[in-house]
Amino acid sequence: MPKTLGMRCRECGEEYPLSPIHVCELCFGPLEVIMNWEEIAPRVSRKSIQAGPPSMWRYHDLLPVEGPPCVGHNVGFTPLVKAERLGKKLGLNNLYIKNDAVNHPTLSFKDRVVATALTKAREFGFDTVACASTGNLANSVAAHAAEGGFKAYIFIPSDLEQGKVLGTLVYGANVLAVKGNYDEVNRLCAEAGGKYGWAFVNITLRPYYGDGSKTFGYEIAEQLGWRAPDHIVVPCAGGSLISKIYKGLNEMNRLGLLENGVPTRMYAAQATGCSPITTAIQTNAEVFRPQKPNTIAKSIAIGNPADGYVAMDTVRKSAGWAADVTDDEVIEGIKLLGSTEGIFTETAGGVTVMVTKKLAEQGRFGADDLVVIAITGNGLKTQEAVQGHLGAPVLIQPNLDALDQALQTDKLLQVV
Ligand SMILES: *Cc1c(COP(=O)(O)O)cnc(C)c1O
Ligand SMILES: [Zn+2]
């Protein structure tokens, strides 16, 4: 029996055969893969997972692919680190960072969704993959396409950071820089998908792609000793990651893998300059209003999020909340994480750190609650954001006198 049975509309429940489709024909709701839990449950245990590889594929049984991965064998199982010094600053005694800034191979959580989507693309028989990206997805699709011998067409907004553009070109993909924002890129790609028959990983294959993010949640729980945390703060772009983390935790619980059920409250983090999801949550709105993005946090600058409603629903169901922060705060957050924990995150991480600070100041976490923050990307890719905000090295001649002199100036020893 296969692990996957078909697809179901999240809104109206209409069912479809397993295929590369992503929206319901009746109501345009997002489709989800129906997993064959009767088949899967008997073979999954803590032991079976622990016997797996130190990668996201230790959860292969819970992912919507049938065969072994065709790319990305080493993706995932990133460090979960206790953040003592940042925790102290925020008044949190049990703060943890799930650090996908060091995810293999392209240094963001997107490697999880791409490894899943490309494995499914091959199972469906596609030889060409594509994506509409705010940067990290571009890097990851290009890299994994190279590894798997797929042809790749990558669509990005033309104003992306250099590191993200170079970090796509280096893998030999066809890169198309579209003169427009992400939402315009996405609209073009939705049309191109129909015309050229390519597998757009985050459009055509979105239900499979999204489920790759469940592994971010599985890992947090396993790494905490098979416990779901009290709170998780997650940066939101299309709104998929936050909902799939929660879905993953609930699946683990239903399989009897967790000690404590799922007490977890989910918190959405966005930049003020592109905050359709957090604005809707904070104003208790039924619908979110699409926005025109204007923020340095480009990786999460999606004005019309495909899974916006799913993200809102996840936050409400879990009794969580949301907050957004300005671009100045994003820079402050990057510096705060770097100087307290030695982790260099990209702009999305700056958002998450400062949103966590804001939520802590609002009294949403108990001092001893277990709080996990999702650091989803690497700072080396968004250097423009902090350029000019970090000071400069103290320039000296190569002798001890010069060093002595330099040490006497108060430019040095500015320990945070
Ligand atoms: C894509 C991305 C996100 C958000 O992902 P969604 O699933 O679209 O909400 C968060 N952080 C980084 C760094 C990303 O690249
Ligand atoms: Zn429907």
Side-chain angles (χ1 to χ4, degrees):
M1 279 291 281
K3 279 199 289 176
T4 45
L5 295 173
M7 332 232 347
R8 185 184 293 124
C9 173
R10 209 177 178 280
E11 299 303 323
C12 75
E14 180 74 5
E15 294 191 3
Y16 298 86
L18 208 68
S19 53
I21 52 171
H22 64 111
V23 282
C24 177
E25 282 170 15
L26 302 183
C27 76
F28 300 104
L31 301 185
E32 287 191 310
V33 182
I34 307 169
M35 299 295 287
N36 188 355
W37 292 112
E38 270 177 43
E39 172 82 11
I40 296 167
R43 58 178 198 238
V44 178
S45 65
R46 292 180 184 176
K47 232 190 198 149
S48 74
I49 292 168
Q50 283 165 331
S55 73
M56 63 178 270
W57 297 109
R58 64 206 280 106
Y59 310 104
H60 182 280
D61 282 336
L62 310 178
L63 295 173
V65 296
E66 297 297 336
C70 74
V71 293
H73 295 81
N74 298 294
V75 172
F77 219 56
T78 53
L80 179 78
V81 295
K82 178 123 199 243
E84 298 280 1
R85 299 191 69 238
L86 179 61
K88 201 160 273 172
K89 293 246 178 209
L90 305 189
L92 300 171
N93 300 323
N94 286 301
L95 179 65
Y96 287 80
I97 293 168
K98 178 61 173 166
N99 188 8
D100 265 22
V102 292
N103 201 10
H104 178 84
T106 69
L107 308 178
S108 88
F109 95 91
K110 291 296 199 301
D111 291 328
R112 300 172 185 275
V113 289
V114 171
T116 310
L118 261 56
T119 295
K120 201 68 204 178
R122 181 136 298 158
E123 289 179 3
F124 280 135
F126 287 100
D127 60 11
T128 303
V129 293
C131 68
S133 173
T134 57
N136 285 313
L137 185 61
N139 297 167
S140 190
V141 171
H144 287 98
E147 184 196 353
F150 290 93
K151 251 207 257 177
Y153 292 89
I154 312 286
F155 294 77
I156 52 173
S158 58
D159 70 344
L160 271 198
E161 299 94 340
Q162 269 306 302
K164 293 207 171 145
V165 178
L166 288 178
T168 307
L169 290 169
V170 71
Y171 304 115
N174 302 295
V175 183
L176 295 124
V178 180
K179 294 182 185 170
N181 61 33
Y182 173 83
D183 299 287
E184 292 166 305
V185 176
N186 191 57
R187 204 171 320 129
L188 170 64
C189 288
E191 289 171 25
K195 174 153 188 199
Y196 301 101
W198 303 329
F200 273 89
V201 304
N202 58 328
I203 305 172
T204 336
L205 297 181
R206 191 168 182 86
Y208 309 93
Y209 155 100
D211 273 356
S213 286
K214 294 191 303 185
T215 62
F216 196 99
Y218 299 148
E219 288 176 22
I220 290 172
E222 183 183 348
Q223 289 169 319
L224 287 171
W226 306 100
R227 294 182 73 81
D230 299 313
H231 315 273
I232 308 181
V233 186
V234 186
C236 296
S240 174
L241 176 63
I242 189 169
S243 41
K244 299 291 182 170
I245 291 173
Y246 195 60
K247 182 180 181 192
L249 292 175
N250 281 288
E251 286 177 357
M252 280 180 114
N253 190 42
R254 261 182 277 123
L255 290 164
L257 299 172
L258 299 183
E259 290 288 321
N260 60 335
V262 184
T264 316
R265 298 178 178 217
M266 303 296 298
Y267 300 83
Q270 293 199 296
T272 306
C274 185
S275 51
I277 295 172
T278 55
T279 301
I281 293 166
Q282 287 172 284
T283 56
N284 287 311
E286 280 296 311
V287 293
F288 70 80
R289 283 227 236 127
Q291 295 182 4
K292 208 168 167 206
N294 179 20
T295 169
I296 59 169
K298 295 176 197 255
S299 60
I300 52 170
I302 296 184
N304 190 10
D307 288 308
Y309 288 111
V310 191
M312 287 159 62
D313 189 45
T314 299
V315 168
R316 287 188 183 136
K317 255 200 209 126
S318 71
W321 194 240
D324 52 78
V325 292
T326 65
D327 284 1
D328 285 343
E329 289 175 298
V330 173
I331 295 164
E332 194 187 332
I334 294 172
K335 290 166 70 171
L336 182 61
L337 186 65
S339 61
T340 54
E341 296 296 332
I343 292 172
F344 185 14
T345 186
E346 66 144 81
T347 45
V351 168
T352 310
V353 168
M354 294 308 279
V355 162
T356 306
K357 181 166 185 269
K358 205 171 232 182
L359 295 168
E361 285 164 1
Q362 292 172 1
R364 296 191 184 272
F365 314 131
D368 293 325
D369 286 1
L370 209 161
V371 182
V372 176
I373 68 177
I375 295 301
T376 48
N378 193 295
L380 291 170
K381 297 195 203 181
T382 62
Q383 295 184 39
E384 292 92 334
V386 285
Q387 223 126 48
H389 296 275
L390 299 174
V394 178
L395 191 64
I396 62 167
Q397 295 298 330
N399 61 63
L400 270 182
D401 277 352
L403 176 58
D404 281 342
Q405 222 166 37
L407 290 175
Q408 275 156 28
T409 71
D410 52 342
K411 278 190 204 156
L412 284 176
L413 303 176
Q414 298 173 337
V415 176
V416 199

